């Protein structure tokens, strides 16, 4: 669940004013515990979205830090700034920038110092060089684990530590700053391993699984450092490679290289989490085009590891057009009415489309916090449940198939015979799955002889799952040396060979 803690909502709950209390907008702590109990009865685990890098400026800690009340004086990153010897004007201590634009430092008149905020100014960064702050967050983690929650998705972890010398970030050739002194610092990895140790205490105590998923936009070298080691393997970063570096212009060879390159760069024996969309990036159906949604859901289902899903991807929800007067995301509003669309994340955060009733069944109210996508009358869960074939049913089929031994433990091979064709093969003992995706703009016919011989396979195969736009049906047989399969543009088909699992 995205942040549901007490918050003034300067950034939709990512500015937390009380880490132990649920915001009244969503209910109460009692409501949350009832939800947790029901989910556990259904064998579903629940992770809370924890935001350790910063709090709200309305948090009690920050208010006391402003007043320099011990032990809160250094709970945040404060600095006097620089004084110009000629003009006597005061300025921020360095060139660090907020990800929302502008300086990452804001002057506090009451304390007469600058404070660091790598996000909006109402989100001051906590100072984890202060052991009191570390203990505070340790206790918050324990508070929710004691209640029975199954772990956390930790937000914005690359920002936890900054350069102690406050050195300027260097400029790149394009004029942007290279955040080498504000992200992925050595202290960050040590602190996360410490929190993994806190969670490990609970795993050892009762033997129940826990998980820590980390939001870490980083290069491959740094992403690899975010994995827990040994008995801390329950800590893992989301893999954003598919999300960051692919879109409708991506060719099969590029997609192959991204997948293979990521796997090779990660430590051995770790679990990879594949993510193609989230609350900060364009919806998959809009980024790639709607015809590709089944192919991408099949791809992340067939690849080894965890399939990360952002709500709505299972039915192919698309970005919603949001007018300036409807815009509420600060990253959009800060850019003004002429450029808000360049930064606003509102289009990917509109309500889930459950059915064709008022507000798509998300609410009984005529209006919602963001407008429902106008295509809700036809693109919704209810319609796709009823349909003989739908995106939802493709998604359900590949999700159920994740338990197949071939997909759990099978060897991986990723091929791109040309710019339009991606082939993913998983093999375990004498069984195989072959995912075939036509990423091109034209119908392509693959003869089974040429296809299978290129894979080093001499076997018959059966269509297991086919994308909605394929015209193919599960159960269709492809005989070696005697058959062919034609795939329309943006179509995927999952083929299976060998005996079915017991």
């Amino acid at each position: 669940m995205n942040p549901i803690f007490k918050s003034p909502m300067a950034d939709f709950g990512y500015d937390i004013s009380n880490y132990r209390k649920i915001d009244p907008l969503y209910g109460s702590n009692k409501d949350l515990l009832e939800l947790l109990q029901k989910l556990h009865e259904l064998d579903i685990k629940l992770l809370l979205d924890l935001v350790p890098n910063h709090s709200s400026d309305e948090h009690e800690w920050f208010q006391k830090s402003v007043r320099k009340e011990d032990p809160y004086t250094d709970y945040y990153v404060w600095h006097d700034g620089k004084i110009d010897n000629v003009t006597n004007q005061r300025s921020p201590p360095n060139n660090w920038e907020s990800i929302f634009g502008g300086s990452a430092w804001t002057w506090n008149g009451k304390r007469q110092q600058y404070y660091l905020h790598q996000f909006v100014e109402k989100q001051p960064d906590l100072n984890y060089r202060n052991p009191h702050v570390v203990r505070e967050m340790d206790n918050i983690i324990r508070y929710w684990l004691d209640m029975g929650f199954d772990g956390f998705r930790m937000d914005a972890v690359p920002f936890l530590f900054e350069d102690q010398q406050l050195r300027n970030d260097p400029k790149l050739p394009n004029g942007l700053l290279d955040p080498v002194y504000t992200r992925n610092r050595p202290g960050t990895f040590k602190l996360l391993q410490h929190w993994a140790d806190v969670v490990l205490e609970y795993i050892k105590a009762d033997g129940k699984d826990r998980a820590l998923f980390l939001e870490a936009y980083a290069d491959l070298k740094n992403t690899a450092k975010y994995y827990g080691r040994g008995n801390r393997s329950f800590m893992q970063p989301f893999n954003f490679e598919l999300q960051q570096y692919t879109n409708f212009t991506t060719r099969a060879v590029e997609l192959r290289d991204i997948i293979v390159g990521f796997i090779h760069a990660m430590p051995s024996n770790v679990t990879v989490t594949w993510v193609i969309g989230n609350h900060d990036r364009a919806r998959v159906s809009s980024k790639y085009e709607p015809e590709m949604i089944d192919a991408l859901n099949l791809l992340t289902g067939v690849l080894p590891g965890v399939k990360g899903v952002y709500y709505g991807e299972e039915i192919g929800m698309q970005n919603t057009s949001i007018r300036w007067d409807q815009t509420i995301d600060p990253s959009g509003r800060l850019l003004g009415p002429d450029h808000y669309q360049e930064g606003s994340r509102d289009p990917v955060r509109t309500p889930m489309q459950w059915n064709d009733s008022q507000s798509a069944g998300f609410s009984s109210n005529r209006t919602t916090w963001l407008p429902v996508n106008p295509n809700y009358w036809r693109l919704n869960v209810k319609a796709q449940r009823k349909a003989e074939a739908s995106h939802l049913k493709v998604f359900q089929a590949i999700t159920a198939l994740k338990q197949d031994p071939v997909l759990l433990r099978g060897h991986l091979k990723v091929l791109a015979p040309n710019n339009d064709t991606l082939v993913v093969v998983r093999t375990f003992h004498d069984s195989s799955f072959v995912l075939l995706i036509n990423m091109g703009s034209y119908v392509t016919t693959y003869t089974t002889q040429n296809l299978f011989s290129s894979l080093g396979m001499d076997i018959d195969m059966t269509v297991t799952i086919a994308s909605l736009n394929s015209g193919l049906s599960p159960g269709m047989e492809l005989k070696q040396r005697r058959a062919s399969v034609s795939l329309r543009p943006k179509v995927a088909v999952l083929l299976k060979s060998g005996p079915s699992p017991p």
Side-chain angles (χ1 to χ4, degrees):
M1 301 179 71
N2 288 114
I4 51 175
F5 305 111
K6 188 81 168 62
S7 170
M9 299 294 165
D11 188 22
F12 310 114
Y14 285 94
D15 49 318
I16 297 172
S17 58
N18 189 328
Y19 284 89
R20 291 177 171 86
K21 188 174 181 181
I22 303 308
D23 195 281
L25 280 170
Y26 307 121
S28 65
N29 285 37
K30 181 175 180 290
D31 296 327
L32 182 60
L33 288 174
E34 290 177 359
L35 172 63
L36 177 66
Q37 181 180 356
K38 182 62 178 178
L39 290 174
H40 281 176
E41 289 173 3
L42 299 171
D43 196 26
I44 297 173
K45 293 179 169 58
L46 178 59
L47 306 180
L48 295 179
D49 198 341
L50 188 64
V51 187
N53 178 69
H54 48 264
S55 74
S56 166
D57 64 350
E58 297 182 26
H59 197 292
E60 177 186 21
W61 299 341
F62 187 75
Q63 296 301 314
K64 290 182 176 181
S65 189
V66 168
R67 297 192 294 267
K68 296 187 177 182
E69 294 182 18
D70 287 332
Y72 303 97
T73 302
D74 296 321
Y75 264 43
Y76 298 83
V77 182
W78 295 96
H79 198 276
D80 292 334
K82 298 182 296 186
I83 301 293
D84 188 289
N85 292 330
V86 177
T87 65
N88 207 34
Q89 292 294 309
R90 191 186 301 271
S91 62
N94 57 31
N95 69 347
W96 295 351
E97 293 181 346
S98 160
I99 67 164
F100 290 108
S103 176
W105 299 92
T106 288
W107 178 257
N108 181 274
K110 187 169 184 178
R111 177 157 165 154
Q112 291 291 293
Q113 281 186 308
Y114 288 97
Y115 66 88
L116 178 69
H117 58 89
Q118 297 196 65
F119 293 81
V120 299
E121 64 182 51
K122 287 186 68 64
Q123 293 171 298
D125 277 39
L126 287 160
N127 175 23
Y128 282 104
R129 289 192 169 86
N130 184 335
H132 291 290
V133 178
V134 176
R135 284 195 292 271
E136 292 275 17
M137 198 56 64
D138 290 353
N139 291 334
I140 288 165
I141 290 171
R142 291 189 173 99
Y143 177 82
W144 293 108
L145 292 178
D146 285 339
M147 286 194 181
F149 288 88
D150 302 294
F152 304 91
R153 177 262 192 194
M154 286 193 169
D155 182 67
V157 294
F159 300 86
L160 289 170
F161 276 81
E162 307 79 33
D163 177 52
Q164 198 163 12
Q165 300 177 47
L166 303 185
R167 286 173 286 186
N168 284 333
D169 278 331
K171 279 192 176 182
L172 295 167
N174 60 7
L176 299 177
L177 296 181
D178 185 4
V180 294
Y181 294 123
T182 50
R183 299 182 201 175
N184 305 306
R185 304 296 296 170
T188 293
F189 304 110
K190 293 178 182 178
L191 179 58
L192 289 168
Q193 292 296 329
H194 165 73
W195 284 334
D197 288 340
V198 173
V199 176
L200 184 61
E201 296 171 12
Y202 287 79
I203 297 174
K204 288 181 174 179
D206 59 18
K208 294 181 181 178
D209 290 336
R210 306 297 198 290
L212 286 176
F213 287 98
L214 310 177
E215 186 205 32
Y217 288 96
D219 58 26
L220 293 180
K221 182 179 178 180
N222 280 311
T223 298
K225 297 178 183 178
Y226 282 105
Y227 279 96
R229 302 296 194 272
N231 55 6
R232 298 167 187 80
S233 61
F234 56 84
M235 183 172 76
Q236 56 187 275
F238 286 110
N239 165 21
F240 294 121
E241 294 291 293
L242 292 180
Q243 184 194 69
Q244 292 187 96
Y245 303 118
T246 57
N247 54 41
F248 72 94
T249 67
T250 303
R251 301 173 300 173
V253 290
E254 295 166 334
L255 190 53
R256 175 204 61 197
D257 292 346
I258 288 170
I259 294 169
V260 173
F262 184 85
I263 290 177
H264 285 171
M266 294 305 106
S268 59
N269 301 318
V270 301
T271 301
V272 177
T273 301
W274 303 96
V275 177
I276 51 176
N278 70 5
H279 61 296
D280 287 331
R281 301 296 174 102
R283 283 200 169 273
V284 176
S285 281
S286 297
K287 186 178 180 182
Y288 285 91
E289 68 184 289
E291 293 295 297
M292 278 287 286
I293 188 64
D294 290 335
L296 292 165
N297 277 330
L298 286 171
L299 175 63
T300 54
V302 167
L303 291 172
V306 175
K307 175 183 176 68
V309 183
Y310 181 54
Y311 81 92
E313 285 174 3
E314 62 272 66
I315 63 171
M317 278 179 60
Q318 300 165 12
N319 287 0
T320 302
S321 295
I322 304 292
R323 300 193 311 259
W324 165 249
D325 61 293
Q326 298 169 320
T327 298
I328 57 178
D329 184 10
S331 66
R333 294 198 63 83
L334 286 170
L335 298 176
D338 295 330
H339 298 281
Y340 75 96
Q341 292 176 323
E342 298 168 18
S344 177
R345 298 163 296 180
D346 291 336
V348 308
R349 298 177 173 186
T350 55
M352 180 67 185
Q353 295 163 211
W354 293 106
N355 55 46
D356 60 358
S357 68
Q358 179 171 274
S359 295
F362 177 83
S363 171
S364 58
N365 202 45
R366 187 181 69 85
T367 58
T368 48
W369 68 294
L370 284 170
V372 175
N373 193 305
N375 66 13
Y376 76 93
W377 63 273
R378 60 173 177 82
L379 201 162
N380 59 71
V381 173
K382 182 179 179 180
Q384 294 197 19
R385 278 179 172 161
K386 286 183 176 180
E388 184 176 346
S390 67
H391 298 312
L392 178 60
K393 291 188 174 178
V394 169
F395 178 89
Q396 290 172 327
I398 189 59
T399 301
L401 209 57
K402 288 287 284 183
Q403 297 303 311
D404 189 293
V406 178
L407 296 186
L408 283 175
R409 296 183 287 276
H411 173 74
L412 171 70
K413 183 186 292 184
V414 185
L415 305 170
N418 53 60
N419 283 334
D420 293 338
T421 304
L422 185 74
V423 184
V424 181
V425 184
R426 299 293 306 279
T427 304
F428 185 67
H429 294 322
D430 55 353
S431 296
S432 296
F433 279 110
V434 176
L435 177 64
L436 183 61
I437 303 177
N438 177 12
M439 297 177 63
S441 301
Y442 305 97
V443 173
T444 301
T445 299
Y446 306 90
T447 64
T448 52
Q449 182 175 0
N450 291 339
L451 173 63
F452 296 152
S453 63
S454 68
L455 300 175
M457 305 166 69
D458 187 16
I459 46 179
D460 297 340
M461 302 203 83
T462 303
V463 174
T464 302
I465 308 173
S467 57
L468 186 62
N469 53 348
S470 69
L472 303 175
S473 301
M476 174 182 169
E477 293 187 350
L478 280 75
K479 297 293 185 180
Q480 170 64 355
R481 304 182 186 282
R482 288 183 294 168
S484 64
V485 58
S486 293
L487 296 188
R488 298 168 182 164
K490 316 303 179 187
V491 156
V493 59
L494 183 64
L495 308 171
K496 176 76 186 292
S497 74
S500 298

